[in-house]
């Protein structure tokens, strides 16, 4: 077997790793210790094993562990012969991993003894922890550590400071050992505490007690056990990365991590006070940056915990709940959060955390509540809390309560008080520990009064033009980026992909901003929907000085609060002359004189001056300005100056003493603002953008704005919205969390620049140094001060988004488009070769990364020997373009062509007309081979999935990763609505995340679901290239996908903000190479196929892609071009004149494409590819895949900017050395449905074949996942979507159902579950009935008990659901046809719903009906408070007065009562006349209009939808 | 996009023309501009394509057509003028004379009809003159270097303006009495009124360009002198020589060249001469024009205005198709039959007709002998028995132009005539541009040539 191998100088970086997991704890509330708790913990781990993963060697778990009380009794029984333990609490135990190296261990021990003694504690002795390696294999066995326990006596140390002392001791030991330890020598202190101990390792839950035999001992007792089962995206997990950490176990991801680390580093300098005294220096650095995000969180938590705060307090500080004004909460609590936001930025991300300090055991969720936590209380006083319900079998009669934790809430057990402390109580107590509210009010500084209009100083128009030229403004930016922002208050929208050179290869001068790419959330963490889930978003921040945050005092609240980071002229003026003793400002020019000084020394001077101002003048506001530029003084790129200063001040320990504010002419786009904030700038005044807005106003471009100030405010609004969108793309919800996160990758900057000024940013192909940056700035400056002639009267045209001469070169230009179209129409290969040469020449000249790649000289073979065109074209796929984004004609033409070729066309995310599943009389087929499953789940029915040759999960899209989409109502024709199972004319919204994929183990679950329903059809996952995509790809492989698609940034779109098209995502070369390197290194490559897409146009492109690791290829734009697309880039307008990207019946008539054109193109391409293969001596694609050693890197010629680009990492071939497979022959990996499911097959066949009604009774547990899907697939296969007659198959299940129960359920099945269910119940339900009822024993409190997990009925199209208890968050999200009755729902109920009926007989959480555009909900609201929980942006509330409404309601509630014996239903029905007026009917505004219109039989007329955004395309 | 869907709702409007009966009576311009509002509406049809074929493929000057259309649609004529001038020094010349490659490559040509780009541009610049927006522009900084430009055709004038605006001291030398080259002497007034040329020349004067007319290089002053007195010299002397057929009877009186013929009429119209030579006057004569190009059409219109008894044009190529063929696809400038204004006025055109002999009487032209030809694969064969004889009182040979290679001038100072008949220079201070450097071309190309030559000179001197 091959060994995983980590090379260096390649694209893989350990910091990209992610992990997501199953977590939980169990505890006896009264603190009784028992071995049962320990064994229950282990059982929970075993039952969560499906949330973990195993690696490429198929045996090593990613990690599991337990955090428990110190088993005092056990130790006393074990240590009798060695030494005597003092009384419990007077000693501490450490759990330490050593390498198998005696001299190493000896050396460590002596260091440990020294330090312990120095700190006046006493080493009592050591114990070798017995381990049994027989259960280990592979990586775990090879890296197995020696585990020892140390016992330390408290001696004379005060009881209350013992824990702190142990912390100080541990940090010193770690630091000292780290100084001489080699990197691969493991030395790790898993825990060192007088209260708790951690047993963990590179194990699965089953292996844990086998390995640590201690855990099997009955004396090993604890009152609680925290558990953690890890799923890591990569397969190089290590022993010490297993969790729990020392205080927490974490499921999720911290998106803001880099910012948190930087801020913490900056803060360290001021941390000096409080309980640590002098010891604080022994602790620093607080963070061990080699740890995972969870470990780093644990470090900081530990610091504040030992600094004097209690664990719930620290959790509230680090993971605050949302407290925006829309959210009801006490003034004290709000003040607490506001106060602490000045001390600590949120650790943002989808996070479920369980924690303990030995006294408190708790769990909390981040504000979004994207991770599930469920709990059960028993009558005997045991808590069982975990990512899933049903992890322990508990008899129904023992259950006291079942519940879940909501977003931002805390669940806390206090072992001392022997009770559960409710969220409200604990938070209220902590909020009143100090008079935070008074402190906040006293210390707050107001920047500007309410409603004062913005003013703007005048700027002479020549001066304006000159400055615009100096900062590289173009006409296009003014008219197509800034103008739409001012006019609409939002970012400009565009379509199609980016087909220009990457900035480092461009011949044009660029602002330094352009050399950065935004990263975004995919798979391991979800992006957010900033529009529909606005209440978690915030742009508020504080500027000024930070004080020591260990102690608690009013000064911690710095008080100058900004509502958003964009400063108007007035704001800036006030900051320049602040009238407050705490605020003092200094202006620093960020200009340099190229004739006299070099950029580097100038930057040093600026930084030194900043330091002087802080130290000597006590300045707290540093204002960097380029306003004073002139003939001799060239502005320094503002991002360089600001980020450089940020890192300089961090290094100097001064960062928290002053804010960095910039006044700059360079900033104009949202991306610019985002970059500055992301690199630590506190606030920005874009003076030149404002003046440009004024000019637009003066030149009469703006009709609606009343004053220039209004126009400016409108621009600011657009920036704010754009920023929120940027944060949410990365899964971050507040600007506070975003500061300094550096979630960007540099493409084209050299290591020196990045290390010094953008420390920590990935930059993998080298590029410009300071010299080149200075040169570029000078070139732009020269345009403003040409030294002869006149200043040009106009700005340069631009040409980024629309071709302009002298602008950026586009690969799709008049000549190439014409050539390609001509070649396929005339069937002329020679013309195609011309096209191919033109494109290849452009790449080499100035264009793409692959332009710098060359083939090595190799022995060629004759072309006859090379794999045939017919065979190669089967590896081709077309890009996902939904019918809706493109016309029916275009969509079907592509499908026919691909089916003729034996390649694969892609349905896109909008479903597919079932009529297309049948072959045409002439033998052609319009059935798309690939059926896409995207976040909107439109048209995803069981039938749709059964008719796929491949099911593709779209995680992101090249042109707009991390974003959702919107198909405006006027594009939703009758036909599209039918296919998507929605109503014509109703706007359709796709959420940014898949609501059933917030992490990698969720993806594994969805893959499992899809494979279950489709009977092991090939499943692929579409990712977009970014730094770290390789690790995600490894995770995807481990999640058992069959193919991973790496999409380049340059893929097309039907509509997307221009920022996303240009600035998010990376070229595929980087992503593909990284994915290949990571997969091969981890021995996973043979388990998954790799496809690549993103503006592939020639045989050379394919050859390079193949050698970098792809074996399949996707084409989008090029295929459209062959069909007549001329890159109008008007897809989002519905006005495509060639009938492709439009639904307008008149324009569709213009479509002239033919399947033959697509066929010819792909055949030409295959032939072109073959020629290169022959030249390189490869006979088959398979033998060619991954042979990166056949590629060479050539230097850019005549290209001053790109001269220092270096592709060594990209072309690194070290991973070829370990002989691991480079490609995959296997098309599909099979999964086996649960035994329970297999038992159902036989009876279901009976029902199908013999029309017999069958009834099956079984027990069910949480490990039985996706029950009902496999048989549903079978039913639809033989009977179609209409399925079997009602109740043909009756399933009676008892217990806790696993995830996705009833997913894609077919008509004819009715499931009755007595017990409870986990997440995703009824996902994609396409018929049938699910009845979920609480066990009879607890039925009385059904309304408050949670018996159904999160995200039920996601994308359901038909069927009925009855639940006589409450459900979790996002009930019926994107439901488009199912009917449901439930007795309570969590937050975001009926989100994005487009059809169906939902009745809630109890309470709802916040944000009900956000983005709901169709369907109807009825909510029982006797308290009349529902309106405060409902998001009223798109719906209206009515009472139930129409007879038909009353009838429906009554009918369904009656049914509910019959099926579930619901007390609540019974109560309501008993007094129907009094109760029905207490129902609120929730109707989407659009939907209501459409319904009314349909009623009135009006013709459908065009509707303008003001809600923004985009049409998807893919 | 200016106005969504307008391209489907509004049809392209062609300019109106004066009635044939009226217009053949005089030499006034034929075309009448459409009103402003109509043109704004026409501009609204522009789709502001992502790949603007008009701008990036059609127009040699790369006029920013979609941007200009957008401005016009919004009524921002003055900004549109500024943008038009940014790429085209003399939009009024192209606005009258350009065959509008841009319109041929307009995306709307695929399924609709193109935007009326040329008319819009012409309106912009006319409005500019009318409103007084077009003013001389002085450079901020005056430079000391001097530049000589030889030839005052569109290339020379363009280069002169660009260089003067950069701050150089520019002198233009012209061998004729008046400035403008072919613009003045070649283009008939009914296509472009000479006032249009005049007002632009005034602007050039006011921008500080010096003009020296009636100065011929090689005769009046030497190249050596130019090199001594100027930092750079630009030859933009055009292709003033007409090509002629080498046929029996070639030297008969009454056989002339288009160049000579059109120049005479232009000189007469402007009063530079009071009378044209009788042998060049078409009045009451049967006129035969050899060559069916645009210049031939100009001759036809001129002859009709002179009162010719008949005008027949002979073209060796066959009649082009009415529509594009599959191997002549959009966005190429289509090779199709276009009816010129002169053809509307009564001339006749004979296709696939080879001229074989000139027949004279008393040394005067009397008739022209022709044969029909058959084309296949780019080669022709004469059709036996297809000989014809056409009566002719005046024969105008309109077969194209070439460089005047007779002058030994071009073999000194690093200048030479290359194999393709174009003027080149190896002297780093002598530049060549325009028709003399590329062969005869469209006015839009010559303006482009002038701009590029100016850039080369700026790069050389700064």
């Amino acid at each position: 077997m091959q060994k995983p191998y980590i090379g260096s100088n390649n694209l893989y970086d350990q910091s990209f790793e992610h992990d997501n997991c199953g977590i939980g704890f169990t505890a006896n509330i009264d603190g009784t210790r028992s071995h049962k708790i320990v064994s229950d913990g282990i059982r929970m781990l075993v039952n969560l094993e499906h949330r973990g993963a195993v690696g490429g060697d198929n045996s090593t778990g990613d990690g599991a562990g337990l955090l428990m009380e110190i088993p005092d009794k056990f130790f006393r029984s074990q240590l009798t012969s060695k030494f005597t333990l003092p009384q419990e609490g007077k000693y501490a135990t450490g759990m330490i991993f050593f390498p198998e190296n005696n001299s190493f261990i000896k050396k460590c021990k002596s260091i440990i003894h020294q330090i312990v003694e120095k700190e006046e504690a006493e080493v009592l002795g050591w114990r070798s922890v017995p381990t049994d390696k027989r259960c280990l294999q592979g990586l775990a066995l090879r890296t197995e550590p020696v585990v020892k326990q140390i016992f330390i006596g408290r001696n004379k140390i005060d009881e209350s400071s013992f824990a702190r002392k142990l912390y100080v001791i541990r940090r010193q030991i770690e630091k000292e050992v780290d100084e001489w330890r080699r990197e691969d020598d493991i030395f790790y202190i898993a825990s060192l505490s007088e209260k708790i101990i951690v047993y963990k390792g590179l194990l699965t839950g089953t292996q844990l007690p086998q390995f640590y035999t201690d855990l099997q001992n009955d004396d090993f007792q604890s009152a609680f056990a925290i558990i953690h089962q890890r799923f890591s995206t990569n397969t190089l997990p290590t022993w010490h990365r297993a969790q729990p950490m020392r205080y927490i176990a974490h499921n999720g991801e911290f998106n803001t991590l880099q910012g948190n680390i930087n801020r913490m580093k900056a803060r360290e300098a001021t941390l000096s006070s409080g309980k640590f005294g002098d010891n604080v220096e022994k602790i620093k650095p607080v963070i061990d940056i080699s740890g995972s995000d969870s470990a780093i969180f644990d470090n900081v938590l530990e610091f504040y915990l030992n600094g004097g705060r209690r664990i719930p307090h620290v959790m509230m500080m680090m993971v605050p709940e949302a407290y925006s004004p829309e959210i009801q909460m006490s003034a004290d609590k709000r003040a607490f959060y506001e106060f602490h936001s000045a001390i600590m930025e949120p650790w943002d991300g989808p996070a479920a955390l369980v924690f303990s300090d030995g006294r408190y055991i708790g769990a909390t969720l981040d504000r979004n509540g994207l991770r599930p936590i469920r709990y059960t209380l028993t009558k005997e006083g045991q808590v069982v809390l975990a990512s899933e319900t049903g992890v322990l079998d508990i008899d129904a009669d023992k259950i006291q309560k079942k519940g879940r934790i909501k977003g931002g809430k805390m669940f806390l057990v206090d072992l001392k008080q022997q009770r559960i402390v409710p969220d409200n109580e604990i938070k209220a107590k902590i909020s009143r520990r100090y008079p935070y509210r008074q402190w906040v009010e006293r210390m707050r500084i107001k920047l500007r009064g309410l409603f004062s209009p913005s003013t703007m100083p005048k700027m002479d128009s020549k001066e304006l033009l000159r400055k615009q030229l100096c900062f590289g403004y173009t006409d296009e930016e003014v008219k197509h980026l800034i103008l739409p922002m001012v006019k609409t208050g939002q970012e400009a929208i565009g379509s199609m992909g980016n087909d220009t050179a990457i900035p480092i290869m461009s011949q044009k001068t660029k602002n330094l901003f352009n050399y950065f790419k935004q990263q975004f959330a995919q798979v391991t963490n979800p992006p957010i929907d900033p529009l529909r889930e606005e209440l978690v978003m915030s742009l508020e921040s504080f500027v000024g000085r930070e004080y020591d945050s260990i102690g608690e005092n009013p000064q911690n609240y710095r008080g100058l609060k900004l509502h958003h980071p964009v400063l108007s002229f007035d704001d800036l003026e006030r900051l320049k002359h602040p009238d407050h003793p705490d605020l003092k400002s200094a202006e620093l020019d960020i200009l340099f004189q190229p004739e006299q000084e070099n950029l580097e020394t100038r930057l040093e001077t600026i930084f030194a001056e900043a330091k002087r101002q802080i130290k000597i003048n006590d300045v707290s506001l540093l204002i960097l300005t380029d306003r004073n530029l002139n003939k001799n003084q060239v502005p320094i790129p503002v991002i360089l100056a600001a980020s450089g200063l940020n890192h300089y001040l961090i290094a100097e320990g001064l960062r928290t003493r002053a804010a960095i504010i910039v006044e700059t002419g360079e900033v104009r786009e949202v991306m610019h603002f985002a970059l500055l904030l992301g690199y630590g700038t506190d606030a920005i005044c874009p003076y030149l953008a404002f003046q440009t807005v004024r000019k637009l106003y003066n030149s009469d471009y703006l009709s609606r704005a009343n004053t220039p100030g209004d126009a400016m405010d409108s621009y600011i609004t657009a920036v704010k919205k754009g920023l929120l969108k940027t944060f949410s793309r990365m899964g971050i919800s507040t600007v506070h969390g975003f500061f300094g996160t550096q979630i960007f990758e540099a493409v084209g900057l050299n290591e020196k620049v990045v290390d010094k000024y953008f420390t920590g940013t990935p930059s993998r192909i080298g590029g410009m140094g300071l010299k080149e940056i200075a040169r570029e700035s000078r070139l732009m400056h020269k345009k403003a001060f040409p030294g002869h002639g006149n200043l040009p009267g106009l700005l340069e045209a631009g040409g980024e988004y629309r071709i302009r001469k002298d602008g950026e070169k586009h690969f799709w230009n008049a000549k190439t488009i014409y050539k390609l179209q001509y070649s396929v129409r005339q069937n002329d290969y020679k013309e195609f070769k011309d096209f191919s040469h033109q494109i290849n020449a452009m790449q080499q000249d100035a264009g793409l990364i692959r332009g710098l790649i060359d083939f090595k000289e190799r022995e060629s073979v004759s072309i006859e020997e090379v794999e045939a065109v017919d065979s190669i074209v089967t590896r081709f796929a077309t890009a996902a373009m939904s019918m809706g984004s493109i016309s029916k004609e275009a969509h079907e033409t592509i499908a026919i062509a691909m089916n003729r070729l034996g390649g694969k066309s892609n349905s896109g995310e909008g479903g597919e007309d079932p009529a297309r599943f049948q072959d045409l009389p002439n033998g052609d087929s319009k059935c798309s081979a690939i059926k896409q499953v995207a976040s909107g789940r439109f048209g995803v029915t069981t039938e749709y999935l059964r008719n796929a040759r491949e099911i593709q999960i779209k995680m992101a899209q090249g042109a707009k990763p991390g974003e959702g989409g919107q198909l405006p109502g006027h594009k939703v024709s009758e036909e599209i609505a039918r296919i998507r199972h929605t109503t014509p004319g109703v706007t359709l919204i796709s959420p940014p995340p898949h609501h059933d994929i917030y992490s990698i183990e969720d993806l594994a679950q969805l893959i499992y679901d899809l494979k279950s329903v489709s009977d092991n059809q090939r499943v692929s996952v579409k990712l977009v290239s970014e730094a770290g995509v390789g690790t995600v790809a490894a995770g995807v492989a481990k999640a058992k996908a069959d193919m991973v698609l790496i999409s380049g940034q340059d893929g097309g779109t039907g509509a997307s903000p221009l920022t996303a098209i240009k600035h998010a995502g990376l070229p595929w070369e980087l992503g593909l190479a990284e994915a290949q390197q990571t997969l091969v290194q981890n021995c996973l490559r043979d388990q998954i196929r790799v496809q690549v897409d993103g503006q592939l146009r020639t045989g050379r492109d394919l050859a390079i892609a193949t050698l970098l690791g792809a074996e399949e290829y996707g084409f989008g734009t090029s295929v459209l071009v062959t069909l007549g697309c001329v890159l109008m880039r008007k897809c989002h307008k519905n006005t495509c004149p060639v009938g492709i990207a439009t639904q307008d019946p008149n324009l569709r008539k213009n479509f002239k494409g033919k399947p033959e054109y697509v066929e010819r193109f792909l055949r030409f391409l295959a032939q072109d590819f073959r020629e290169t293969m022959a030249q390189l001596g490869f006979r088959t694609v398979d033998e060619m895949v991954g042979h990166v050693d056949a590629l060479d890197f050539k230097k850019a010629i005549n290209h001053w900017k790109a001269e220092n680009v270096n592709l060594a990492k990209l072309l690194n071939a070290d991973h070829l050395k370990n002989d691991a497979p480079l490609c995959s022959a296997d098309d599909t990996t099979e999964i086996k449905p649960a035994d329970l499911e297999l038992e159902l097959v036989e009876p279901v066949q009976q029902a199908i074949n013999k029309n017999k009604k069958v009834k099956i009774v079984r027990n069910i547990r949480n490990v039985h996942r996706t029950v009902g899907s496999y048989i549903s697939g079978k039913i639809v296969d033989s009977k179609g979507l209409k399925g079997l007659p009602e109740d043909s198959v009756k399933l009676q299940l008892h217990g806790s159902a696993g995830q996705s129960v009833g997913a894609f359920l077919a008509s004819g099945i009715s499931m009755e579950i007595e017990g409870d269910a986990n997440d995703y119940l009824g996902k994609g339900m396409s018929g049938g009935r699910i009845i979920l009822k609480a066990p009879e024993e607890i039925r009385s409190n059904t309304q408050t008990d949670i018996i159904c997990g999160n995200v039920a009925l996601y994308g359901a199209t038909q069927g009925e659901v009855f639940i006589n208890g409450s459900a979790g968050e996002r009930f019926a999200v994107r439901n488009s046809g199912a009917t449901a009755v439930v007795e309570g729902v969590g937050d975001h109920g009926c989100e994005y719903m487009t059809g169906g009926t939902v009745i809630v007989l109890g309470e709802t959480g916040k944000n009900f009906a956000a983005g709901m555009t169709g369907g109807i909900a009825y909510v029982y609201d006797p308290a009349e408070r529902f309106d405060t929980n409902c998001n009223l942006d798109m719906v209206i509330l009515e009472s139930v007065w129409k007879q038909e409404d009353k009838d429906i309601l009554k009918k369904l509630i009656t049914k509910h009562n019959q099926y579930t014996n619901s007390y609540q239903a019974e109560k309501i029905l008993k007094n129907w006349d009094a109760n029905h007026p207490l129902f609120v009917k929730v109707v989407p505004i659009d939907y209501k209009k459409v319904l009314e219109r349909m009623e009135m039989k009006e013709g459908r007329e065009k509707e303008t939808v003001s809600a923004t955004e985009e049409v998807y395309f893919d | 996009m200016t106005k969504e869907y307008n391209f489907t709702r509004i049809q392209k409007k062609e300019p109106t023309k004066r009635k044939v009966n009226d217009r053949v009576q005089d030499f006034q311009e034929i075309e009448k501009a459409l009103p402003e509002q109509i043109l704004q509406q026409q501009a609204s049809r522009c789709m502001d394509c992502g790949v603007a074929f008009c701008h990036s493929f059609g127009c040699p000057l790369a006029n920013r057509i979609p941007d200009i259309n957008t401005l016009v649609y919004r009524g921002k004529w003055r900004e549109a003028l500024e943008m038009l001038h940014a790429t085209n020094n003399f939009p009024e010349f192209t606005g009258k004379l350009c065959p509008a490659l841009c319109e041929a490559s307009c995306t709307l040509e695929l399924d609709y009809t193109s935007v009326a780009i040329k008319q819009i541009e012409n309106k912009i610049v006319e409005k500019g003159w009318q409103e007084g927006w077009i003013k001389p522009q002085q450079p901020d900084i005056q430079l000391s270097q001097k530049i000589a430009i030889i030839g005052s055709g569109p290339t020379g004038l363009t280069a002169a303006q660009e260089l003067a605006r950069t701050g150089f001291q520019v002198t233009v030398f012209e061998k004729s009495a008046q400035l403008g080259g072919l613009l003045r002497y070649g283009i008939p007034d009914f296509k472009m009124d000479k006032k249009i040329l005049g007002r632009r020349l005034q602007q050039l004067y006011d921008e500080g360009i010096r003009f020296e007319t009636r100065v011929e290089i090689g005769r009046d002053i030497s190249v050596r002198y130019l090199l001594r007195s100027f930092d750079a010299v630009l030859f933009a002397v055009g292709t003033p020589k007409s090509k002629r057929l080498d046929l029996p009877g070639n030297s008969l009186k009454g056989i002339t060249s288009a160049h000579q013929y059109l120049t005479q009429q232009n000189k007469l119209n402007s009063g530079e001469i009071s009378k044209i030579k009788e042998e060049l006057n078409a009045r009451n004569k049967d006129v035969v024009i050899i060559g069916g190009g645009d210049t031939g059409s100009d001759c036809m219109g001129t002859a009709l205005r002179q009162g010719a008894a008949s005008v027949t044009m002979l073209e060796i190529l066959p009649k082009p198709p009415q529509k594009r063929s599959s191997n002549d696809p959009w966005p190429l400038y289509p090779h199709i039959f276009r009816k010129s204004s002169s053809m509307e006025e009564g001339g006749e055109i004979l296709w696939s007709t080879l001229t074989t002999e000139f027949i004279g009487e008393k040394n005067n032209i009397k008739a022209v002998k022709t044969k029909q030809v058959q084309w296949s694969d780019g080669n022709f064969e004469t059709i036996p028995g297809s000989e014809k004889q056409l009566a002719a009182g005046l024969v105008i040979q309109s077969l194209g132009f070439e460089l005047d290679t007779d002058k030994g001038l071009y073999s000194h100072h690093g200048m030479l005539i290359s194999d393709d008949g174009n003027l080149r220079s190896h002297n780093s201070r002598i530049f060549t541009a325009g028709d003399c450097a590329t062969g005869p071309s469209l006015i839009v190309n010559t303006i482009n040539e002038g701009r590029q030559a100016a850039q080369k000179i700026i790069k050389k001197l700064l």
Side-chain angles (χ1 to χ4, degrees), chain A residues 515-690:
Chain A
Y515 296 88
F516 292 85
K517 293 283 179 189
Q518 282 179 23
Q519 301 203 354
F520 46 88
Q522 65 181 344
V523 183
T524 55
N525 52 332
I528 302 168
D529 185 338
L531 296 173
R532 262 67 63 172
E533 297 183 11
E534 199 181 354
L535 73 177
V536 298
M537 310 293 294
S538 160
L539 281 167
E540 279 184 4
S541 65
F542 295 89
V543 298
R545 169 165 310 173
E546 246 183 73
Y547 293 89
D548 187 357
S549 58
I550 306 184
E552 296 211 56
N553 64 61
Q555 266 203 332
N556 284 338
Y557 186 77
R558 286 162 297 162
L560 178 57
K561 185 159 127 179
L562 298 180
H563 290 290
H564 56 79
V566 186
L567 300 175
S568 70
F569 289 103
D570 300 325
D571 296 337
L572 188 66
E573 208 45 44
R574 289 190 189 104
L575 289 180
K576 281 182 180 171
H577 311 286
D579 181 24
H580 193 278
D582 240 22
L583 298 176
K584 216 170 157 196
S585 71
E587 284 183 58
L588 303 170
D589 275 336
I590 45 168
L591 306 168
F592 74 114
Q593 298 194 45
E595 312 302 329
Q596 289 165 28
E597 60 199 338
N598 77 25
L599 184 52
E600 185 166 9
T601 47
R602 177 65 191 140
L603 283 165
E604 291 310 316
T605 319
I606 294 169
F607 298 162
E609 175 61 14
K611 176 175 166 183
R612 202 181 67 84
Q613 290 287 359
I614 295 172
K615 285 204 149 167
I616 314 283
N617 295 340
D618 222 17
V619 156
S620 58
L621 302 170
L622 291 167
I623 301 173
L624 303 180
T625 179
D626 53 32
R627 201 189 52 231
N628 302 319
L629 71 96
N630 59 35
K631 206 170 102 199
N632 302 316
Q633 303 248 38
V634 178
I636 298 172
V638 62
I639 184 70
L640 178 67
S643 177
L645 179 59
N646 181 43
H647 283 291
Y648 174 86
L649 292 179
I650 291 173
E652 293 283 327
L654 295 171
R655 182 63 188 90
T656 54
R657 286 184 56 184
I660 299 174
I661 291 162
V662 299
E663 178 187 26
T664 173
E666 198 180 346
V667 166
R668 50 214 185 248
E669 281 185 50
V670 171
M671 171 70 173
H672 303 169
F673 289 93
L675 267 166
L676 280 169
L677 299 173
Y679 282 96
T681 305
D682 292 273
I684 300 146
C685 174
Y687 68 86
L688 194 58
F690 286 156

Side-chain angles (χ1 to χ4, degrees), chain A residues 1266-1281:
Chain A
T1266 323
V1267 170
S1269 304
Y1270 185 71
I1271 51 171
S1272 292
K1274 295 276 175 213
I1275 291 172
V1276 170
D1277 235 15
S1278 18
K1279 300 286 175 184
L1281 198 54

